[in-house]
């Protein structure tokens, strides 16, 4: 069983019928659009966790990618959040 943060409600994993995967992070250091995209993904994650129907965080994956630019090294990180729902929310795009 998974508890919603800050509440006493629990979600039994056998009740999960829909999972959304939200990826937050920078994976392309050359793309200036990444900041806006990350903000939209964070907003979507918060909507899934706090709007009705409320989702539950059931998993998280972290990945890294290392880029070398001459003498400089850039490490980019992405975090994929897996949000479980008892049913697919009607507010999600098809």
């Amino acid at each position: 069983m998974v508890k919603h943060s800050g509440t006493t409600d629990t979600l039994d994993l056998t009740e999960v019928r829909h999972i959304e995967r939200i990826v937050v992070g920078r994976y392309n250091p050359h793309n200036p659009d990444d900041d806006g995209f990350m903000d939209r993904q964070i907003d979507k994650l918060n909507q899934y966790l706090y709007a009705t129907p409320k989702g539950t965080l059931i998993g998280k994956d972290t990945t890294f990618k290392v880029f070398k630019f001459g003498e400089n090294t850039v490490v980019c990180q992405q975090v994929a959040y897996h949000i479980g729902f008892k049913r697919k929310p009607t507010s999600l795009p098809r």
Side-chain angles (χ1 to χ4, degrees):
M1 291 194 151
V2 179
K3 286 191 175 187
H4 289 283
S5 59
T7 67
T8 59
D9 297 336
T10 58
L11 175 67
D12 189 342
L13 291 178
T14 61
E15 296 175 340
V16 173
R17 297 291 179 248
H18 182 77
I19 297 175
E20 281 292 315
R21 182 176 183 262
I22 306 294
V23 179
V24 178
R26 181 181 304 272
Y27 223 54
N28 184 354
H30 297 296
N31 189 355
D33 231 11
D34 274 355
D35 290 334
F37 179 75
M38 281 193 303
D39 289 341
R40 290 189 299 276
Q41 291 299 87
I42 291 169
D43 290 342
K44 186 188 291 188
L45 176 64
N46 286 328
Q47 177 187 3
Y48 288 169
L49 292 174
Y50 298 109
T52 303
K54 188 178 284 192
T56 301
L57 181 64
I58 59 174
K60 181 179 88 164
D61 300 327
T62 304
T63 58
F64 298 92
K65 194 167 193 180
V66 178
F67 295 95
K68 291 209 177 233
F69 300 107
E71 296 178 3
N72 299 318
T73 301
V74 176
V75 178
C76 296
Q77 176 183 358
Q78 282 187 331
V79 180
Y81 297 93
H82 305 277
I83 311 300
F85 296 92
K86 288 185 179 181
R87 59 179 172 76
K88 183 174 181 177
T90 55
S91 62
L92 294 180
R94 294 183 182 253

